[in-house]
Amino acid sequence: MNVLKFGGTSVANAQNISQVIDIISKASTDKKIAVVVSAFGNTTNMLLKTAELAAVKDEHYKSLLQEIENRHMQVVKDLIPVTAQSGIISHTKRLLNYLETLYEGCFLLRELTPKTLATIASFGELLSSYIISEVMRFRELDSIYKDSRELIITSESYENAQVEIRTTAKNCVDFFKENKHQVVILPGFIAATENGETTTLGRGGSDYTAAIIAAAVNASQLQIWTDVSGMYTSNPRIVKQATPIPHISYQEAMELSHFGAKVIYPPTIQPVLEKEIPILIKNTFKPEAEGTLITKNPTGKQQAVKGISYIENISLLTLEGSGMIGIPGFSKRLFETLLAQKINIVLITQASSEHSICIGINDKEASKAKMAIDETFAYEISSGKVNSILVEQQLAVLALVGENMKNHQGLSGKMFSTLGKNNVNIRAIAQGASEKNISAVINSDDAKKALNALHEEFFEEKIKQLNLFVVGVGNVGERFIAQLHKQNKFLLEQLKLNIRVIGVSNSRTMAFNSEGFDLNTWNDKLAKGSKASLDEFHDTAKSLNLRNSIFIDITASETVSKMYEHYLRNNIAVVTCNKIACASQYENYQNLKRISRKYNAPFLFETNVGAGLPIIDTLKNLIASGDRVHKIQAVLSGSLNFVFNNFSNDNTFKEVVTQAQAEGYTEPDPKIDLSGVDVARKILILARESGYVMELEDIQNNSFLPEESLATNTNDAFYASLEKHEAHFQKIYKEANDKNCRLKYVATFEDGKAKVGLQHIPSDHPFYNLEGSDNIVLFYTDRYVAQPLQVKGAGAGAEVTASGIFADVIRIGKF
């Protein structure tokens, strides 16, 4: 014989009930079965809410009662033909009339006793089991209805009654021994005292009913039918990559159930555990799915960690003080106080110094617990031996569960390292000597990020998810996203990186998708987005609190650069091609680096110098390996190199600059490039990365632009000034040409000093043949004295800049 239990979602409506009856019909083909059913989905909550309203003389209880009646009558009408409804409706109405009488009593007496509440709560299962049994009888299944109150006998605590096991077992054995029907339908959750008064079995009571019956009759299997395909490696509503666990032990299932896996209620397991009856968790809506089998000894290859679960709405209470050290009895008094208040303890941890004890309880009970504990220890608090109880709320307990964890070293380290990398602060830790569970108390806001990060670490094929928030999706930004889209498959298969674009913004609008944009249509979503706001963009990235988040700045905005600190402090990495932050005051530059280290949030800016060239990365490796930089010579402006490579007496300077801007080689404001400010920022960054303290104003900038051009405020005015001073630019060109030299805008750093300016480069110089928009850097160091280390290549353009940003994202993915 098998016992099947169907939960509230499985019998929530007529359609679901039809599905349940199909499952029952197949299951009873070759074996007798007992079927335990819950109340229709959410009915118990409605019954209790209605009772609370009635007890405070709120007449709205009547409308809720009518809703309960309508719901059950509708199921009858949907599943039973009109010609056969009369008797069923009459019986259902009698039950509902009795329920109404109970509510009227609560209303008149302004009273709701535990006994009355238990009786009211029982109606959900009484109604559902009766209606389902009648539908089965109409469909000619060989079935019978049996009231569980005639079998399960309990104490008189009414709302969370204790089962009298011997009497209950005998009742079950006697009934099922005499039963001749193939299917027996029973209401879950409800029981009765020896005097026949209705009681309930507490939260998860329908599971418990099924387990009690299964144990009593030595069932071949207990099946729990619910709305998910078994027990998952984590909560699938939070961790989308979670998968069902095929086979798990009783102990593992109990641990996962205790820590929030709501598929099964922990006490359910106890009756069947003692008799080693297998439990099978199945999905009512996907009956073909394998589900999860729970037995004493799971077969096949077993992972060390079976699942990651958590409990929300936890408060951490800490009792501490020097007066506790070496004094026996503090723990006893603390736990007795909580027992007297009927407060359940979820987690306990104590410092080895005996200086403090931490306990985790439900948030709702924190205030009551604090008052009671402070009263118990009033003398010690007033005398300074202990502190008033400290309460921290809005926490969650995260649990790593697995029976084989004790046989694997380093799991705790891996768990806490993963949480640390994602800036998840741990408030308390608990681990039993059996090592089947490692628990950590964290902020509730971090629970989603923590669960996903740990699941990625322990269960996924080492695929790391990166979540990008991109500001500045113009020329370079569009190419960056296009490159990402093109390489998505390669990144996933070869580098095990799943890169998602979560947020995008331009100067006008911004848009978000917490599951990641479709990179074919992201710009359509942006066009329909909300008004752009840097503060709101940051706040959204922060509130989403996704693991491995990266803020990407593809602008030239000083305002955007001032947001970096806020992102880094929230463990959000920053990747930028915007040079303003790293070329700002030295203290700000150093502060961003300090914050990056403190919060374990990478701050990468390779594209600040040389676009896609690995100039900064090469320099960092030199310094990290112990080399020292003495001199740097470089052509660092792809735009200026393009301009002077194409400028001659056959065209005008304005024409060449216009072409450079059109092809994406210059900043939106070309004056930034041509004034030398951009090059000055780049050499400043290289000097700082070499270990030197320097400010932008320390760099000598020998500009070749006329003062009038430097003083312009708009692009139109700037271009007009270039046209006006064409003779000046032709003179510069002629002077270099007459010397058989080329014009290059060179940055030099030597002896702690830096300068930038236009130079005549002779034909035997390494810079002479630098074509197009290429950049070149020469590093003279302790190791590279006579022959400098040279980095050369394309140093400007949207495509290469985008690729440089892409490379920084990949670097973070490899951290």
Side-chain angles (χ1 to χ4, degrees):
M1 174 177 166
N2 285 341
V3 178
L4 284 65
K5 177 262 176 178
F6 292 89
T9 52
S10 296
V11 293
N13 52 49
Q15 181 181 352
N16 292 3
I17 291 170
S18 291
Q19 179 102 358
V20 165
I21 293 173
D22 288 342
I23 292 169
I24 292 170
S25 178
K26 291 177 183 177
S28 61
T29 302
D30 56 0
K31 187 175 289 190
K32 286 187 175 182
I33 62 173
V35 178
V36 176
V37 296
S38 296
F40 295 169
N42 203 41
T43 296
T44 303
N45 289 337
M46 291 175 68
L47 288 165
L48 298 178
K49 178 64 177 177
T50 306
E52 290 170 4
L53 291 174
V56 295
K57 296 190 81 69
D58 186 336
E59 295 206 1
H60 284 101
Y61 86 86
K62 295 179 181 178
S63 60
L64 269 181
L65 176 59
Q66 187 62 52
E67 188 178 337
I68 293 168
E69 178 176 334
N70 293 344
R71 187 176 188 186
H72 289 83
M73 290 299 184
Q74 188 61 52
V75 171
V76 173
K77 292 172 182 177
D78 288 343
L79 293 176
I80 303 290
V82 175
T83 54
Q85 288 177 7
S86 178
I88 301 170
I89 288 177
S90 294
H91 183 82
T92 303
K93 189 66 178 173
R94 282 196 296 274
L95 286 173
L96 290 165
N97 287 340
Y98 180 31
L99 177 62
E100 184 178 14
T101 301
L102 291 172
Y103 283 137
E104 287 174 350
C106 294
F107 185 86
L108 293 171
L109 296 174
R110 286 178 176 253
E111 183 180 73
L112 184 59
T113 65
K115 182 177 179 180
T116 303
L117 195 61
T119 304
I120 288 171
S122 72
F123 276 84
E125 275 71 17
L126 289 173
L127 287 162
S128 67
S129 57
Y130 168 72
I131 292 170
I132 291 170
S133 69
E134 289 298 312
V135 175
M136 290 178 62
R137 189 172 64 84
F138 173 75
R139 295 191 181 182
E140 299 184 347
L141 268 72
D142 181 15
S143 62
I144 188 174
Y145 174 80
K146 181 66 175 176
D147 191 333
S148 300
R149 293 175 295 184
E150 298 172 12
L151 301 178
I152 301 176
I153 306 303
T154 69
S155 64
E156 295 182 357
S157 55
Y158 298 110
E159 291 182 87
N160 198 1
Q162 299 300 306
V163 176
E164 299 291 341
I165 297 296
R166 289 186 180 179
T167 307
T168 297
K170 183 179 184 306
N171 291 344
C172 291
V173 169
D174 291 346
F175 169 75
F176 283 101
K177 186 177 181 180
E178 296 298 322
N179 170 56
K180 304 300 181 183
H181 297 275
Q182 200 72 4
V183 181
V184 178
I185 300 292
L186 305 104
F189 181 59
I190 64 173
T193 65
E194 288 185 355
N195 297 325
E197 295 174 324
T198 299
T199 61
T200 58
L201 301 178
R203 186 172 67 88
S206 291
D207 285 357
Y208 198 20
T209 302
I212 290 167
I213 294 170
V217 302
N218 288 309
S220 302
Q221 190 178 76
L222 168 60
Q223 297 179 10
I224 306 292
W225 289 81
T226 182
D227 58 353
V228 291
S229 299
M231 299 191 84
Y232 278 67
T233 49
S234 193
N235 187 332
R237 293 179 178 85
I238 297 174
V239 181
K240 302 301 181 185
Q241 297 81 18
T243 56
I245 307 168
H247 204 169
I248 194 172
S249 73
Y250 293 121
Q251 294 295 333
E252 289 168 331
M254 288 181 76
E255 290 281 359
L256 284 172
S257 299
H258 175 69
F259 282 94
K262 298 176 182 178
V263 173
I264 194 169
Y265 181 52
T268 300
I269 299 173
Q270 194 61 42
V272 293
L273 183 150
E274 292 173 357
K275 294 197 172 183
E276 297 184 10
I277 296 170
I279 303 173
L280 181 62
I281 312 294
K282 294 282 284 181
N283 190 339
T284 303
F285 310 106
K286 293 181 180 178
E288 72 285 352
E290 182 181 358
T292 297
L293 181 64
I294 306 172
T295 62
K296 182 179 179 181
N297 297 307
T299 58
K301 185 179 179 181
Q302 300 296 308
Q303 284 186 279
V305 178
K306 281 294 182 67
I308 307 164
S309 199
Y310 81 113
I311 308 174
E312 297 177 288
N313 305 317
I314 294 296
S315 288
L316 194 65
L317 277 61
T318 303
L319 182 68
E320 63 179 354
S322 57
M324 295 170 59
I325 300 173
I327 307 298
F330 271 93
S331 299
K332 177 176 180 291
R333 291 168 63 194
L334 174 64
F335 297 136
E336 283 181 342
T337 300
L338 296 173
L339 174 64
Q341 298 295 322
K342 297 182 179 180
I343 294 173
N344 183 49
I345 299 173
V346 175
L347 174 141
I348 305 169
T349 181
Q350 182 173 13
S352 59
S353 65
E354 302 180 44
H355 181 262
S356 67
I357 303 173
C358 290
I359 57 170
I361 64 174
N362 189 281
D363 270 338
K364 293 179 181 178
E365 298 178 316
S367 178
K368 180 171 67 171
K370 176 174 171 55
M371 289 178 63
I373 295 169
D374 280 346
E375 183 178 341
T376 297
F377 294 96
Y379 170 74
E380 286 84 357
I381 293 170
S382 64
S383 60
K385 292 182 178 180
V386 299
N387 302 326
S388 178
I389 196 83
L390 174 67
V391 179
E392 298 173 78
Q393 293 190 283
Q394 296 182 326
L395 302 174
V397 180
L398 202 69
L400 214 64
V401 173
E403 201 156 13
N404 291 323
M405 283 166 52
K406 59 182 177 291
N407 300 321
H408 290 76
Q409 287 75 36
L411 292 178
S412 298
K414 187 184 288 188
M415 175 183 181
F416 298 129
S417 173
T418 301
L419 294 176
K421 286 178 182 176
N422 285 278
N423 204 37
V424 175
N425 187 37
I426 299 171
R427 299 295 305 116
I429 299 168
Q431 181 175 6
S434 67
E435 297 184 46
K436 294 175 183 174
N437 177 315
I438 306 171
S439 302
V441 181
I442 63 173
N443 290 326
S444 291
D445 290 344
D446 289 328
K448 180 179 179 180
K449 177 167 68 172
L451 283 169
N452 277 278
L454 288 174
H455 194 274
E456 186 175 82
E457 180 65 35
F458 286 100
F459 291 103
E460 296 171 35
E461 189 192 352
K462 296 303 177 188
I463 293 176
K464 188 172 184 179
Q465 185 181 99
L466 304 181
N467 297 292
L468 311 187
F469 297 85
V470 186
V471 170
V473 285
N475 197 16
V476 176
E478 279 192 347
R479 283 169 169 78
F480 166 67
I481 294 177
Q483 290 176 7
L484 178 61
H485 185 32
K486 180 182 177 183
Q487 291 298 106
N488 248 340
K489 185 178 179 181
F490 173 86
L491 294 171
L492 194 61
E493 293 177 355
Q494 301 299 319
L495 300 183
K496 305 303 179 185
L497 292 177
N498 176 22
I499 302 180
R500 309 187 309 170
V501 177
I502 305 297
V504 288
S505 178
N506 55 29
S507 60
R508 300 175 303 280
T509 57
M510 62 183 184
F512 297 91
N513 185 331
S514 61
E515 299 301 319
F517 284 105
D518 178 344
L519 297 187
N520 287 306
T521 60
W522 67 269
N523 41 9
D524 294 333
K525 302 296 183 184
L526 177 60
K528 299 173 183 176
S530 58
K531 185 178 179 181
S533 165
L534 292 177
D535 289 334
E536 287 184 25
F537 195 86
H538 165 265
D539 291 346
T540 302
K542 178 183 173 182
S543 64
L544 286 172
N545 201 16
L546 300 172
R547 67 196 187 281
N548 306 319
S549 291
I550 306 173
F551 172 69
I552 300 177
D553 176 15
I554 314 180
T555 74
S557 166
E558 182 176 2
T559 306
V560 175
S561 73
K562 289 179 179 178
M563 299 296 296
Y564 298 171
E565 179 176 345
H566 302 295
Y567 283 98
L568 295 171
R569 286 187 182 277
N570 285 287
N571 188 234
I572 298 174
V574 173
V575 169
T576 179
C577 61
N578 184 348
K579 292 172 280 293
I580 293 176
C582 289
S584 63
Q585 293 297 309
Y586 183 80
E587 179 54 36
N588 183 56
Y589 159 80
Q590 282 291 82
N591 185 51
L592 290 175
K593 291 211 157 191
R594 281 194 297 268
I595 294 170
S596 169
R597 292 190 295 270
K598 179 178 179 180
Y599 293 94
N600 195 35
F603 174 42
L604 300 184
F605 44 89
E606 183 65 66
T607 48
N608 276 196
V609 181
L613 292 176
I615 294 172
I616 293 176
D617 192 52
T618 300
L619 178 55
K620 284 182 176 178
N621 290 335
L622 287 175
I623 301 301
S625 65
D627 205 353
R628 289 186 305 164
V629 174
H630 302 295
K631 179 181 177 181
I632 301 173
Q633 280 187 308
V635 173
L636 296 173
S637 175
S639 53
L640 283 169
N641 200 41
F642 177 89
V643 167
F644 286 109
N645 278 339
N646 287 278
F647 179 48
S648 69
N649 52 17
D650 293 329
N651 54 22
T652 68
F653 194 70
K654 176 190 173 184
E655 288 172 348
V656 178
V657 174
T658 302
Q659 182 185 354
Q661 185 176 28
E663 295 188 21
Y665 293 127
T666 72
E667 299 285 352
D669 178 2
K671 188 174 70 173
I672 294 174
D673 296 282
L674 272 68
S675 67
V677 170
D678 189 60
V679 177
R681 286 172 176 163
K682 292 176 180 178
I683 195 65
L684 173 65
I685 292 168
L686 293 182
R688 287 175 171 178
E689 290 294 300
S690 300
Y692 293 86
V693 178
M694 182 175 285
E695 301 289 357
L696 187 60
E697 52 266 27
D698 297 332
I699 297 172
Q700 181 182 336
N701 185 352
N702 302 316
S703 178
F704 65 90
L705 288 177
E707 287 296 328
E708 183 179 342
S709 299
L710 290 170
T712 57
N713 295 317
T714 65
N715 282 3
D716 288 342
F718 179 68
Y719 278 117
S721 74
L722 297 187
E723 188 172 16
K724 178 179 178 181
H725 292 279
E726 177 62 23
H728 166 75
F729 301 116
Q730 288 293 342
K731 180 182 178 183
I732 291 173
Y733 170 75
K734 185 175 186 305
E735 287 174 354
N737 195 48
D738 289 347
K739 295 178 182 179
N740 198 28
C741 292
R742 287 188 172 181
L743 290 167
K744 301 293 179 185
Y745 203 87
V746 178
T748 305
F749 171 76
E750 188 173 10
D751 297 329
K753 296 180 180 179
K755 62 180 180 180
V756 297
L758 203 57
Q759 293 185 17
H760 294 168
I761 303 299
S763 59
D764 59 348
H765 195 282
F767 294 172
Y768 184 84
N769 291 313
L770 196 66
E771 300 296 336
S773 61
D774 286 0
N775 281 191
I776 186 169
V777 180
L778 307 179
F779 291 112
Y780 294 85
T781 71
D782 285 349
R783 297 173 190 157
Y784 298 91
V785 183
Q787 292 296 323
L789 175 62
Q790 184 179 125
V791 181
K792 178 182 177 181
E799 204 69 42
V800 293
T801 303
S803 69
I805 295 166
F806 201 158
D808 272 349
V809 171
I810 300 302
R811 286 187 182 93
I812 292 174
K814 292 180 178 179
F815 280 178

